[in-house]
Amino acid sequence: MKPDLLKVFEWDRYFEKAGSKDEDREIIENMHAEARSFIEFFDWCDAVVSEYVGFIYPGIVGVFLFRIKPAWKNVDEWVWCIVGDLPPAYITCEESPNPATALDSYIGAMQDWVDAASNGRSTEGLIPVDVEPTIVSAERLGVRLRYLDEKILSGYREDLGAR
């Protein structure tokens, strides 16, 4: 599924179009570099073809969209990447046509991990998180997820109905 490109900015033109603050530029560039490196790490990504920004809250969360050249036939050419003060992850565009739905899918997948780790259940088969699945790490991630949901995602309710 192709994402809604009206809801994103081209990375190359982000700073001239988005109106971000100059003091945030380095943070934003670092978040972008982290997202791109994360996607390029996977062997299913042969190359990044184009890059977009869904939205960025500097130092908190960035939702990036990448069009890739898939290394395998069964890999979608569009993928979201969420980075910030939380574990990075990719989200497919299949059920996430815009940045808000991608972040919502991320929160849901990470909350599944938090619930499992909090209750001492296995996190195998859930979204990968590069920390031990302990109660403490689950609590820390849970706080961040609630913040994202209540303070950031709440401003995108209309976009969440696009599924």
Side-chain angles (χ1 to χ4, degrees):
M1 169 184 251
K2 186 175 178 180
D4 184 352
L5 296 180
L6 296 176
K7 298 289 183 177
V8 296
F9 296 95
E10 292 178 51
W11 170 249
D12 291 343
R13 302 182 73 205
Y14 176 74
F15 292 102
E16 68 186 61
K17 294 285 187 182
S20 63
K21 299 175 187 172
D22 286 341
E23 64 264 21
D24 292 333
R25 187 177 185 112
E26 185 177 354
I27 296 168
I28 292 168
E29 287 174 341
N30 288 340
M31 292 174 82
H32 167 259
E34 179 184 359
R36 183 179 173 126
S37 293
F38 185 77
I39 294 300
E40 290 177 328
F41 167 80
F42 294 98
D43 57 0
W44 43 257
C45 176
D46 197 34
V48 170
V49 175
S50 52
E51 308 166 90
Y52 302 85
V53 178
F55 51 77
I56 297 177
Y57 292 80
I60 300 170
V61 66
V63 179
F64 296 89
L65 175 65
F66 295 95
R67 184 174 184 192
I68 65 166
K69 179 181 175 192
W72 309 327
K73 288 186 183 209
N74 63 340
V75 173
D76 292 334
E77 68 177 324
W78 293 96
V79 63
W80 297 102
C81 185
I82 290 83
V83 298
D85 185 27
L86 36 88
Y90 68 86
I91 301 291
T92 66
C93 293
E94 192 171 314
E95 293 182 21
S96 300
N98 63 52
T101 56
L103 182 58
D104 190 47
S105 294
Y106 172 90
I107 292 170
M110 287 293 175
Q111 188 60 53
D112 290 345
W113 186 93
V114 166
D115 293 344
S118 295
N119 293 301
R121 294 190 318 262
S122 172
T123 57
E124 189 174 324
L126 299 177
I127 195 165
V129 177
D130 196 21
V131 296
E132 287 296 316
T134 65
I135 292 173
V136 172
S137 58
E139 287 174 359
R140 288 180 180 157
L141 181 53
V143 166
R144 287 175 172 85
L145 296 176
R146 282 189 296 281
Y147 180 87
L148 292 176
D149 191 42
E150 294 170 7
K151 302 295 184 188
I152 294 177
L153 203 53
S154 63
Y156 295 90
R157 293 298 173 205
E158 185 177 316
D159 287 348
L160 292 173
R163 286 187 175 158

